[in-house]
């Protein structure tokens, strides 16, 4: 089930996660450029498979989903986000709970991959931040699939 959160809904993302529950939650960001009607995704080519993901990752021990989304976005694409600039966007359950926040970037910038993803990059494991028009989202393999509908409906 996908729950689309509106700006007026209040949700507590400050839940403390116990060590044995760390892998059960993932947090990410939807970075939207309203002028160009595009979202920033990470284009992945891994062992012959092509797909797309949003910046994000596993919520660490004693970290909120919001804190994890901010940390992961900074680690992956070197973009510093402020909590007040992120709004709840969508949450759903796959093999783990997934929570996404949305922010708007009014100026289109180019980004490079950083952190662990840069270290893991090779000719068979590519990470490439790319602006993708909302109109093209239906035609790409976005992981997780549950996120696609919410982005297309923006």
């Amino acid at each position: 089930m996908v729950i689309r959160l509106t700006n007026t809904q209040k949700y507590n993302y400050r839940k403390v996660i116990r060590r044995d529950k760390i892998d059960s939650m993932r947090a990410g960001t939807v970075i939207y450029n309203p002028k160009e009607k595009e979202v920033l995704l990470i284009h992945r080519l891994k062992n012959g498979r092509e797909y797309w993901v949003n910046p994000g990752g596993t919520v660490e021990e004693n970290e909120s989903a919001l804190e994890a989304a901010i940390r992961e976005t900074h680690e992956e694409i070197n973009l510093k986000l402020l909590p007040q600039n992120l709004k709840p966007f969508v949450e759903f359950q796959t093999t783990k709970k997934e929570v996404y926040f949305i922010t708007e970037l009014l100026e289109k910038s180019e980004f490079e991959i950083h952190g662990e993803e840069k270290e893991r990059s090779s000719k068979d494991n590519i990470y490439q931040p790319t602006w993708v028009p909302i109109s093209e989202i239906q035609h790409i393999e976005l992981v997780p699939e549950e996120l696609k509908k919410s982005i297309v409906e923006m």
Side-chain angles (χ1 to χ4, degrees):
M1 174 173 74
V2 175
I3 300 171
R4 179 85 186 261
L5 301 171
T6 66
N7 291 341
T8 58
Q9 287 177 294
K10 299 289 184 202
Y11 193 84
N12 180 7
Y13 290 105
R14 302 270 327 152
K15 296 176 184 173
V16 174
I17 310 300
R18 292 191 341 246
R19 167 71 63 193
D20 62 338
K21 298 292 185 186
I22 289 175
D23 291 336
S24 66
M25 186 183 290
R26 184 177 194 289
T29 56
V30 175
I31 301 167
Y32 178 56
N33 180 306
K35 182 179 175 187
E36 303 291 332
K37 296 188 179 353
E38 295 177 329
V39 291
L40 183 66
L41 300 176
I42 299 173
H43 190 190
R44 297 282 286 118
L45 296 166
K46 184 175 182 183
N47 301 322
R49 179 180 173 208
E50 178 181 12
Y51 60 100
W52 303 77
V53 296
N54 288 75
T58 302
V59 176
E60 295 180 353
E61 183 177 13
N62 297 322
E63 182 179 50
S64 71
L66 179 61
E67 291 165 338
I70 290 169
R71 176 184 51 76
E72 288 284 349
T73 300
H74 184 251
E75 288 175 0
E76 291 176 9
I77 62 171
N78 201 31
L79 175 63
K80 284 195 172 197
L81 298 171
L82 300 174
Q84 61 268 28
N85 294 335
L86 287 163
K87 301 205 177 345
F89 183 61
V90 66
E91 71 172 63
F92 47 86
Q93 186 79 33
T94 57
T95 56
K96 57 182 79 176
K97 183 175 183 172
E98 306 237 6
V99 179
Y100 288 84
F101 299 87
I102 188 166
T103 191
E104 291 184 355
L105 286 186
L106 302 178
E107 295 296 322
K108 188 172 169 179
S109 300
E110 296 303 316
F111 294 92
E112 292 182 9
I113 210 70
H114 288 267
E116 292 177 14
E117 286 75 10
K118 185 173 184 173
E119 293 171 14
R120 289 193 300 249
S121 293
S122 70
K123 64 181 178 75
D124 296 320
N125 190 24
I126 297 170
Y127 299 78
Q128 181 59 53
T130 307
W131 288 99
V132 178
I134 298 290
S135 61
E136 294 297 316
I137 297 294
Q138 286 289 15
H139 308 292
I140 64 173
E141 183 181 351
L142 180 63
V143 177
E145 176 74 22
E146 292 82 355
L147 191 54
K148 187 180 279 190
K149 183 179 179 194
S150 295
I151 292 175
V152 168
E153 291 176 351
M154 289 193 323

